Amino acid sequence: MRIDFRINGIDQSIELSNDEMLVNVIRERLELRGTKIGCGNGECGACTVLVDGDAVCSCLIPAHRVAGRSITTIEGIAKENELSPVQAAFVRHGAVQCGFCTSGMIMSASALLAVNLKPTEADISHALAGNICRCTGYRQIIDAVLDASGQTPLGHEPS
Amino acid sequence: MTGLREVGKRRPQAGIETRIRGGAIYTQDVTLPGMLYGAILRSPHSHARIASIDVTAAAALPGVQAIITAEDFKNRRYYHLGGTYSDRRPLAKDKVRFWGEEVAAVAATSLSIAERACALIAVEYDVLAPALTPQDALRPDAPEIHGKDNAVAGRNLAVRFSADYGDIAGAMAKAHFVLEDEFAHGIVAPCCMETNGTVARFNPDAGTLELWTATQAPYFIRKEVAHLVALDEHKVRVRSVEIGGGFGGKSKVCEQEALAAMLSIKARHPVKITLNRRDEFVSGKTDHAKRIRIRTAVAEDGRILNRNVSVQIDNGAYTAYAPTYVGASRQRTTCLYRIESAHYDCDLVYTNKVPGGQYRGMGAPQTIWAIESHMDDIAKRLNRDPLEYRISQANQPGDVTPLKWRISTCGLTDCLQNVGKMIRWDEKRNSPAPLRGVGVASMIHPSGGVIYQEGNFSNSRVELTGDGQIIVHTQTADTGTWQNTTLAQVAAETLGVNTSDVSVSHMDTDQAPDDLGSAASRVTFVTGNATLHAAEHLRAKILTGLSQQWNCGVEDILIENAVARHGTEPHRTADLTEIARLVGPLSADGFFTTPGERPDPKTGEGNYAATYVFGAQAAEVEVDRDTGRITVLRMAVAQDVGRALNPTAVEGQIYGGVLQGIGMALLEEMVFEEGRPVNASFLDYAVPRIGSAPKIDISLVETNDPLGPYGAKAGAEPTINATIAAIANAVFHATGIRFKTLPMSPDRVLAALEERDGKKPALKPWKRVYNAEVAAVRVMYPGVVFPALRKVGTKFARLPEKSKTPRILVPGSIAELLEFPSNKDTKSRIVAGGTDIFVGMKQGIYAPDQLLDVTRLPDLQGISLERESAPVLRIGAATSLDSVSRNELAARYFPALVSCINLIATAQIRRVATVAGDLCQEKRCWFFRSAFPCYKLGGSTCPCFAVLGDNRHHSINGAKRCAAPNPSDLAPLLSALNARVKVIGKTGIRYIPIEELYLWSGLTKLEKHELIEAIEIPIVPDTSSAFRKFGLRQGDFAEASVAVLAEWSDHRVRSIRIFAGAVSPLPMRAIAAEALLTGTRLEPSLVSAAAETIVEGSLPLHDNEYKVPLLINLTRQALLAASSHSA
Ligand code: FES
Ligand code: FES
């Protein structure tokens, strides 16, 4: 089956094997390896990408479903050389440790901020509950998302 | 120390630019030309003899390039701790000792071929009785797991240790009282977000091997792998990659490294092995389960005269580094607080379970939980405030502990005082709000201890390249701790350059000198010192070179801000590029070895570490009386870090360590059945999600250790040590209940609260006809029914065939869908969101030949108001949950529906999972989902594993041969709302009320050729509805849920429908409660009485009695919520 779609602003056309999941297309076919696999079962969020702006687990989406859709991965979230506001806030707040969850976190946070300009801590918690981070304890992530939406972070000083 | 420019400053993480853009290369991202994929065949038994292994069929599979078994490794075993501890081979030979043990491995051109080949390897086993717990393994007639060569201390005993410290008899004679207690906990797992993996590339011409591997310790990987594949160590090179978390789980050799290496050697191609999440739980290094008995002799003035601790540690099937773990447990128990004398003994016991390894704290979090729970009880007995009492007993500089640790810098008193202030101790302790409490705990941790046979040394290299870059080469591995950032800061400070001028190249064993790796709290202190020395040497070399160039003395040159200046001739300056041009390239090595003493092998005595880390944590918790959920509202953490090299980095470690501690305290525990993990996934094993993160106040206490680099001590690992204890003590304050097992999960807490309050709801089991029969069978289950079905019945089990790849078909219309050929040889399944099916196929519970994707069918999409006869809200079957929760009509008419959906799973899942998918999902029983040969999976000759196994999630009502409860949240709600499904089949359309949709959990009345087109919910005026659900963690499936629809007339309930979910195989209607409430105004007292009746007819199992009060409480809450809508 051949599908056409757009990813990070570039049109792609790919011949799919029958059972291919979106994460495989992204990582192996298009070699965009910033999208990670932490479980392969929709439980950890490391593979989160945006499909038409919605955050989804690319490990659970059969690739044929993205025909005609527009996908954004971590590689496409920065504008040219400039980090996106969420990325920049993650850097400022030290919200990254091992970085393995980071791509997925940033995609989920970006999807949230696209529909909710001033999320509360509860909104952030609801939106990011599908992204596990084992390193950071989430505090600096919460601060980064608050900061990225122009709100005062609750925790520590940014660097 | 003043005038520091780089050390002590908040600098951004080294390498963040790449990482934040997704450009960092982790092992799973490494792809090499000609690379093959490896898969591992694992043991399906906990204990068995291997009679034979036949790889013929697997080898014949096209695409298979190499197969290895134990023979390929000759007789070599992992070194691990050497001697009798060296008990494990890379692949099992003769015998398997735990479920999931590596038996063979295959390299093939694709992962799916490699996996299929594994399935074709024929292994004949003679199954042996297993010993699954330390208690079982220590019985005189227990099966022998290892022979006397390894179980040197007795049958199944790897270690038996016992020692006395100080004058015990004298101490006991002075005792005012002696307090004794016992604590126990199960196994937790590090759960790095990146699973273990390795890419190995053997170069046959050069005889060299390269390894890209997710490890904390390249040094040990090279040593172990070189030995196992019989190469010289210098022929093996560990390469630099990014590491997705370590936490001890990757601190030594794992299993896939040697397997990938041997496969690569045999196949002469690079080979990649990536463990999946399940394998990571099943075979990865976990923490150890422990039982800790403490007896403390206390003087009248509160002094601790003697602490006597007895520990039993579950080693699992093989010894990795557990003897060191024994040492760690001995240290914490004998050195925290001023103790006059001590006794410590420990058994390290082999069991047929996954081998334990290292996890953050080396057992300290739970050991300290036991000690500090006990300290609270001592304070209580002494009638002293727990914080004040701890301060009075705190270790002080100059102390010598019973284990002969000489405490130099020690900020424990400050730490305790600071957490007291931050948590507002006096106020919260003395006048707590109901069900709230505060607790405190201390911790101790060695920094630069002699933990390895090699001692504890580091070599570091700092290089000035020809083009003026400064690079630190270290063999340690930054697993996310920011160690590379702080090492860069140390080098920058020493050299007089900026941190941003320094990059750190980690891990590469060919480029960096030997170092023991990133574990055991050693990098900041040990590698930090080595880096400091290296930078000093490099600085000296630069100064010497410049002084020759500039014809001046070295003392005339100043390097600051990355510029060298001639002190007296200010026009002479050189930036790094210029310095490199003048004197470069240069490099210098630094070496550091800890001054700690090797402990006495018999007693463990000696001043083990260079210095010691102290800290305290305080917790404020709230306990939900209705559900048993403990919420950590706030933590206060004070840690003596010597010096914070980078406060942002240390704080990050504290936030992370504390949250892992919260996981241990409240959520995490591996559950086993027959030695096999049943919760080997992030769905069933609950690592804390974002909603568990409390506010954390931090105080970094700087004692400026004279031996630390710029005064720093270890920081990252010990941040977890005091967390469980602080929470447990806060829970005790809030509830008066002292929990002696972990985790303090809601099920246990609720059961304990019920017991405390003497509640015993009337179950009236006779109200359900089948219960007598079910109860009788349950009585016979352990002795007769289960053994017979397990032994004989499961032989006839018909389990779904694994690793089949279904065809995915995408029909364009319902008519087309119904036309798809389907016969008895082709199993079709309808797939919508797929969030259940795609996972279930991997779990081995579905094996369809074809999947019919219905997401493109327009009739199955959308939400609309239909008014043909009575008005209904129509929701297309394949409408995503998220679309419903964002829909205005849904929000207007059925707010309970929206709140219900927002409690289902996670944002990403709700985006794709569908309404009909939620209704039709398969049961979630963890035995079934782990593909146990159970009644539902294997057929009627098989037993239900939930009757005797861990059944905390199972039905309390209506279970028969299967105890799995209905997992859907929408099922009880839509049943209460009187909704129905519109079903289309070849023969036409029919409607089924949702309350009648089910035959059993996960089993609907839909026929083979039928499909749900839509859900229709009647819109009835003057109604109110409510939904309540309780899941153990954020986004979890329900443990119980309750939905209510009340129809009002004249402020009275004209009719009411109440349904419960997750407590019985079918959505359960509460008929008695409905009858009691009809015609009333839902007054609170009536509501409470009615709620009690919902559990009538229940017959709980041994682990799920908590669901009884839970269900009552949720019912009461839902009814009250529905009553408040009445106006
Ligand atoms: S990898 Fe997709 S959710 Fe974990
Ligand atoms: S930073 Fe490591 S998992 Fe989040």
Side-chain angles (χ1 to χ4, degrees):
Chain A
M1 182 192 308
R2 176 162 283 280
I3 58 160
D4 298 329
F5 57 97
R6 177 170 267 251
I7 183 161
N8 299 334
I10 298 169
D11 290 326
Q12 290 284 356
S13 177
I14 280 200
E15 185 63 37
L16 288 184
S17 73
N18 175 54
D19 58 333
E20 229 170 318
M21 288 290 169
L22 178 57
V23 70
N24 197 57
V25 169
I26 292 172
R27 284 180 49 84
E28 304 303 328
R29 305 289 211 94
L30 302 174
E31 299 187 13
L32 294 169
R33 296 208 169 85
T35 301
K36 301 297 177 209
I37 301 177
C39 70
N41 287 338
E43 299 163 356
C44 78
C47 66
T48 304
V49 300
L50 306 184
V51 175
D52 288 342
D54 290 324
V56 296
C57 297
S58 60
C59 71
L60 278 189
I61 308 273
H64 72 263
R65 285 197 190 155
V66 301
R69 310 258 202 133
S70 172
I71 298 164
T72 309
T73 68
I74 185 68
E75 291 88 348
I77 201 98
K79 302 236 168 8
E80 306 289 310
N81 272 330
E82 201 182 314
L83 295 179
S84 78
V86 176
Q87 284 173 311
F90 268 58
V91 174
R92 273 199 304 282
H93 287 272
V96 179
Q97 289 189 21
C98 79
F100 203 81
C101 70
T102 306
S103 304
M105 282 287 179
I106 287 179
M107 302 321 282
S108 285
S110 304
L112 168 68
L113 294 185
V115 296
N116 185 344
L117 296 180
K118 296 263 179 262
T120 61
E121 193 178 337
D123 296 337
I124 296 170
S125 171
H126 191 61
L128 300 189
N131 293 78
I132 299 178
C133 174
R134 191 60 157 170
C135 299
T136 64
Y138 305 102
R139 281 316 323 170
Q140 288 150 315
I141 292 174
I142 295 169
D143 281 347
V145 179
L146 287 170
D147 189 0
S149 56
Q151 308 183 81
T152 318
L154 310 159
H156 58 285
E157 311 163 38
S159 33
Chain B
M1 209 175 292
T2 50
L4 294 175
R5 306 178 59 102
E6 296 300 323
V7 156
K9 301 291 181 298
R10 295 183 182 273
R11 297 285 178 250
Q13 189 191 32
I16 185 68
E17 273 291 320
T18 332
R19 216 166 284 148
I20 201 77
R21 292 170 187 273
I25 304 293
Y26 298 77
T27 302
Q28 68 170 224
D29 308 325
V30 173
T31 331
L32 302 174
M35 190 175 80
L36 305 172
Y37 296 83
I40 300 170
L41 177 68
R42 299 183 178 280
S43 165
H45 301 289
S46 293
H47 199 191
R49 264 185 205 297
I50 300 176
S52 66
I53 302 182
D54 181 356
V55 302
T56 329
L61 193 69
V64 171
Q65 304 271 315
I67 302 178
I68 54 172
T69 61
E71 302 306 324
D72 291 282
F73 291 95
K74 308 285 188 280
N75 267 326
R76 290 184 288 269
R77 297 165 179 229
Y78 290 100
Y79 289 125
H80 288 150
L81 281 170
T84 61
Y85 301 134
S86 181
D87 59 7
R88 183 167 183 181
R89 298 165 195 276
L91 290 169
K93 188 175 185 178
D94 306 331
K95 210 172 152 182
V96 288
R97 295 180 174 85
F98 72 99
W99 198 94
E101 182 170 357
E102 301 79 7
V103 174
V106 178
T109 48
S110 79
L111 181 58
S112 66
I113 295 176
E115 282 172 348
R116 260 182 287 147
C118 279
L120 290 174
I121 297 175
V123 187
E124 244 182 87
Y125 294 98
D126 297 329
V127 178
L128 302 168
L132 297 174
T133 62
Q135 291 80 336
D136 284 349
L138 289 180
R139 291 210 176 97
D141 59 343
E144 209 173 25
I145 299 170
H146 290 273
K148 291 192 177 58
D149 292 350
N150 303 112
V152 287
R155 177 169 290 231
N156 296 330
L157 262 180
V159 170
R160 172 160 275 176
F161 176 92
S162 178
D164 291 336
Y165 308 99
D167 174 14
I168 296 180
M172 296 307 286
K174 289 185 283 180
H176 178 52
F177 64 86
V178 174
L179 211 62
E180 185 165 352
D181 222 328
E182 187 172 315
F183 300 83
H185 67 87
I187 298 177
V188 293
C191 297
C192 304
M193 288 311 295
E194 179 200 22
T195 58
N196 276 291
T198 299
V199 177
R201 175 163 68 189
F202 180 63
N203 178 340
D205 300 327
T208 55
L209 177 71
E210 292 166 284
L211 297 165
W212 290 258
T213 189
T215 183
Q216 297 169 237
Y219 177 92
F220 289 103
I221 299 291
R222 181 184 56 186
K223 175 176 160 184
E224 293 273 9
V225 173
H227 155 67
L228 292 170
V229 303
L231 286 173
D232 290 339
E233 276 189 33
H234 73 272
K235 298 264 183 188
V236 178
R237 175 180 181 187
V238 178
R239 305 279 307 246
S240 179
V241 281
E242 295 278 329
I243 312 293
F247 319 119
K250 298 169 181 168
S251 64
K252 298 285 157 30
V253 71
C254 295
E255 286 66 48
Q256 83 285 347
E257 298 98 342
L259 302 183
M262 187 56 93
L263 284 170
S264 179
I265 290 171
K266 219 168 165 181
R268 304 190 153 231
H269 277 277
V271 174
K272 178 194 259 183
I273 298 182
T274 310
L275 297 199
N276 62 34
R277 183 54 62 187
R278 193 184 152 66
D279 287 349
E280 184 85 1
F281 276 108
V282 161
S283 70
K285 299 284 195 326
T286 62
D287 195 4
H288 297 267
K290 301 190 276 296
R291 209 188 63 202
I292 305 167
R293 228 187 44 236
I294 310 181
R295 206 172 65 218
T296 309
V298 184
E300 197 164 3
D301 62 1
R303 274 175 305 125
I304 302 166
L305 301 169
N306 179 263
R307 191 187 278 150
N308 179 317
V309 178
S310 211
V311 182
Q312 189 181 67
I313 300 178
D314 186 344
N315 195 19
Y318 294 97
T319 303
Y321 281 76
T324 315
Y325 194 96
V326 173
S329 138
R330 176 175 65 223
Q331 294 168 353
R332 304 311 184 278
T333 53
T334 54
C335 296
L336 181 58
Y337 297 115
R338 295 183 135 174
I339 305 172
E340 288 186 13
S341 68
H343 164 88
Y344 177 84
D345 65 71
C346 180
D347 281 351
L348 178 66
V349 189
Y350 282 118
T351 60
N352 290 112
K353 287 212 301 287
V354 55
Q358 300 79 240
Y359 177 29
R360 197 174 199 157
M362 275 303 253
Q366 305 100 344
T367 305
I368 287 179
W369 159 65
I371 293 172
E372 283 290 51
S373 296
H374 199 60
M375 276 297 274
D376 246 36
D377 292 342
I378 294 172
K380 191 169 178 190
R381 175 86 178 258
L382 290 164
N383 216 354
R384 305 223 348 221
D385 174 84
L387 177 60
E388 174 274 318
Y389 177 58
R390 283 182 170 83
I391 292 173
S392 76
Q393 303 304 313
N395 303 78
Q396 300 297 339
D399 281 0
V400 178
T401 71
L403 209 57
K404 301 211 164 61
W405 285 10
R406 292 195 295 278
I407 309 299
S408 54
T409 53
C410 170
L412 182 54
T413 305
D414 285 348
C415 289
L416 282 164
Q417 284 167 342
N418 291 0
V419 297
K421 273 184 226 137
M422 290 188 284
I423 207 84
R424 292 192 284 154
W425 179 266
D426 290 337
E427 168 197 336
K428 302 242 159 127
R429 186 78 195 180
N430 299 327
S431 37
L435 290 161
R436 285 198 179 187
V438 288
V440 65
S442 308
M443 67 91 175
I444 186 171
H445 205 87
S447 182
V450 200
I451 195 165
Y452 304 100
Q453 286 169 309
E454 290 84 348
N456 195 350
F457 67 85
S458 166
N459 293 281
S460 191
R461 179 169 299 153
V462 184
E463 183 189 359
L464 170 70
T465 64
D467 59 352
Q469 320 260 345
I470 308 276
I471 305 175
V472 176
H473 295 277
T474 173
Q475 239 185 55
T476 59
D478 190 337
T479 57
T481 57
W482 290 43
Q483 62 153 64
N484 288 355
T485 317
T486 47
L487 291 178
Q489 286 176 275
V490 166
E493 183 71 52
T494 312
L495 287 166
V497 306
N498 303 313
T499 301
S500 53
D501 296 322
V502 182
S503 59
V504 178
S505 161
H506 71 173
M507 294 180 76
D508 194 320
T509 52
D510 273 13
Q511 289 190 4
D514 282 0
D515 183 296
L516 300 172
S518 302
S521 309
R522 61 180 298 283
V523 172
T524 297
F525 193 86
V526 182
T527 308
N529 267 317
T531 305
L532 175 71
H533 295 331
E536 279 171 349
H537 295 161
L538 180 66
R539 187 164 196 276
K541 283 189 184 179
I542 291 172
L543 290 176
T544 310
L546 282 179
S547 72
Q548 285 162 4
Q549 295 282 339
W550 288 349
N551 263 327
C552 61
V554 290
E555 64 288 346
D556 293 331
I557 304 170
L558 187 75
I559 309 177
E560 217 180 50
N561 258 335
V563 177
R565 276 172 221 289
H566 193 296
T568 51
E569 298 172 34
H571 65 280
R572 289 210 170 185
T573 62
D575 63 9
L576 281 174
T577 321
E578 181 63 9
I579 295 174
R581 200 186 60 78
L582 291 172
V583 304
L586 287 174
S587 98
D589 284 7
F591 174 77
F592 181 79
T593 185
T594 177
E597 299 162 3
R598 279 184 195 267
D600 181 307
K602 281 234 155 50
T603 64
E605 287 168 298
N607 188 30
Y608 170 78
T611 187
Y612 301 91
V613 176
F614 294 87
Q617 298 188 6
E620 185 184 6
V621 304
E622 182 171 57
V623 181
D624 182 345
R625 180 61 188 84
D626 281 355
T627 64
R629 165 127 53 221
I630 295 168
T631 304
V632 180
L633 300 171
R634 184 174 281 276
M635 294 284 303
V637 179
Q639 193 164 311
D640 167 6
V641 295
R643 173 178 303 281
L645 297 176
N646 181 337
T648 304
V650 190
E651 286 161 3
Q653 291 306 306
I654 289 174
Y655 292 132
V658 165
L659 200 70
Q660 288 185 7
I662 288 177
M664 288 180 172
L666 304 180
L667 297 166
E668 298 178 37
E669 180 180 30
M670 286 181 70
V671 178
F672 296 84
E673 179 63 28
E674 302 182 342
R676 169 177 172 186
V678 298
N679 59 344
S681 74
F682 284 144
L683 258 190
D684 292 315
Y685 180 95
V687 302
R689 291 177 185 252
I690 192 165
S692 297
K695 307 263 184 313
I696 301 178
D697 293 317
I698 295 173
S699 148
L700 301 177
V701 173
E702 299 198 318
T703 50
N704 195 11
D705 197 89
L707 295 176
Y710 295 100
K713 303 183 188 183
E717 188 183 6
T719 57
I720 194 175
N721 285 2
T723 309
I724 311 176
I727 293 171
N729 288 338
V731 171
F732 181 64
H733 184 221
T735 62
I737 300 171
R738 173 66 65 200
F739 286 91
K740 295 181 185 173
T741 47
L742 294 175
M744 293 173 278
S745 49
D747 49 337
R748 287 178 184 158
V749 175
L750 185 55
L753 288 166
E754 291 288 302
E755 195 184 317
R756 180 196 71 178
D757 297 345
K759 290 210 174 171
K760 266 248 157 265
L763 296 181
K764 306 185 182 168
W766 63 86
K767 288 212 164 177
R768 197 177 168 89
V769 273
Y770 293 109
N771 277 352
E773 194 185 316
V774 172
V777 175
R778 282 185 194 170
V779 170
M780 296 193 312
Y781 230 72
V784 185
V785 181
F786 185 82
L789 294 178
R790 181 71 187 100
K791 213 165 171 203
V792 186
T794 54
K795 292 224 163 78
F796 305 98
R798 269 182 277 137
L799 300 177
E801 187 187 325
K802 269 216 189 139
S803 53
K804 221 165 46 169
T805 315
R807 276 189 331 138
I808 302 185
L809 304 169
V810 189
S813 67
I814 292 180
E816 195 187 322
L817 173 98
L818 296 175
E819 283 317 307
F820 272 121
S822 180
N823 50 53
K824 90 173 176 345
D825 302 324
T826 326
K827 271 194 243 106
S828 298
R829 278 199 92 100
I830 287 171
V831 58
T835 54
D836 180 17
I837 287 193
F838 292 124
V839 178
M841 289 190 322
K842 288 191 217 160
Q843 291 167 328
I845 61 168
Y846 303 122
D849 300 290
Q850 57 189 28
L851 289 173
L852 308 175
D853 184 336
V854 297
T855 45
R856 293 273 173 87
L857 302 179
D859 292 349
L860 268 58
Q861 293 289 343
I863 303 166
S864 53
L865 211 55
E866 315 261 310
R867 303 181 181 275
E868 272 159 39
S869 45
V872 299
L873 188 74
R874 178 194 183 278
I875 303 175
T879 308
S880 76
L881 295 176
D882 190 52
S883 307
V884 180
S885 75
R886 292 198 220 176
N887 182 272
E888 260 184 43
L889 291 171
R892 178 160 358 128
Y893 293 108
F894 300 105
L897 178 63
V898 173
S899 56
C900 167
I901 285 177
N902 278 324
L903 293 171
I904 298 177
T906 63
Q908 291 99 315
I909 299 296
R910 287 191 296 272
R911 192 60 224 130
V912 291
T914 64
V915 175
D918 183 83
L919 289 172
C920 299
Q921 64 187 304
E922 190 41 283
K923 58 189 89 29
R924 290 232 52 93
C925 163
W926 53 19
F927 305 106
F928 179 79
R929 291 271 173 177
S930 303
F932 274 73
C934 81
Y935 167 58
K936 281 291 174 185
L937 194 65
S940 59
T941 60
C942 300
C944 170
F945 285 80
V947 179
L948 304 177
D950 189 316
N951 45 42
R952 68 184 84 175
H953 300 309
H954 288 79
S955 300
I956 53 170
N957 197 319
K960 288 189 215 161
R961 282 208 59 186
C962 161
N966 183 303
S968 162
D969 289 336
L970 287 179
L973 177 64
L974 292 175
S975 298
L977 295 180
N978 243 323
R980 59 182 191 172
V981 289
K982 179 179 175 191
V983 176
I984 302 197
K986 275 197 167 149
T987 51
I989 292 174
R990 64 174 177 140
Y991 292 88
I992 311 176
I994 288 177
E995 106 174 77
E996 289 165 23
L997 179 62
Y998 298 97
L999 293 167
W1000 201 252
S1001 171
L1003 193 64
T1004 66
K1005 288 183 184 157
L1006 294 184
E1007 302 286 338
K1008 223 177 172 177
H1009 289 282
E1010 285 187 325
L1011 135 108
I1012 299 180
E1013 186 199 88
I1015 287 92
E1016 296 180 355
I1017 319 174
I1019 297 172
V1020 185
D1022 296 321
T1023 55
S1024 62
S1025 55
F1027 178 77
R1028 285 292 182 274
K1029 159 180 172 174
F1030 184 76
L1032 290 178
R1033 59 154 182 85
Q1034 208 177 4
D1036 200 0
F1037 285 88
E1039 295 303 322
S1041 65
V1042 179
V1044 175
L1045 175 77
E1047 206 182 330
W1048 299 85
S1049 94
D1050 230 3
H1051 301 293
R1052 286 187 182 273
V1053 169
R1054 199 153 65 116
S1055 71
I1056 187 164
R1057 294 168 63 81
I1058 307 170
F1059 282 81
V1063 292
S1064 58
L1066 312 176
M1068 183 181 88
R1069 188 162 183 184
I1071 304 213
E1074 290 177 4
L1076 278 175
L1077 294 170
T1078 306
T1080 73
R1081 295 173 190 269
L1082 293 191
E1083 292 89 341
S1085 60
L1086 282 178
V1087 159
S1088 294
E1092 301 268 337
T1093 65
I1094 194 166
V1095 298
E1096 287 177 357
S1098 294
L1099 195 64
L1101 293 149
H1102 46 82
D1103 298 318
N1104 67 7
E1105 280 193 45
Y1106 75 97
K1107 284 195 180 190
V1108 170
L1110 178 65
L1111 181 59
I1112 293 172
N1113 297 338
L1114 293 180
T1115 306
R1116 193 185 61 245
Q1117 289 182 5
L1119 287 167
L1120 290 175
S1123 75
S1124 68
H1125 288 133
S1126 64

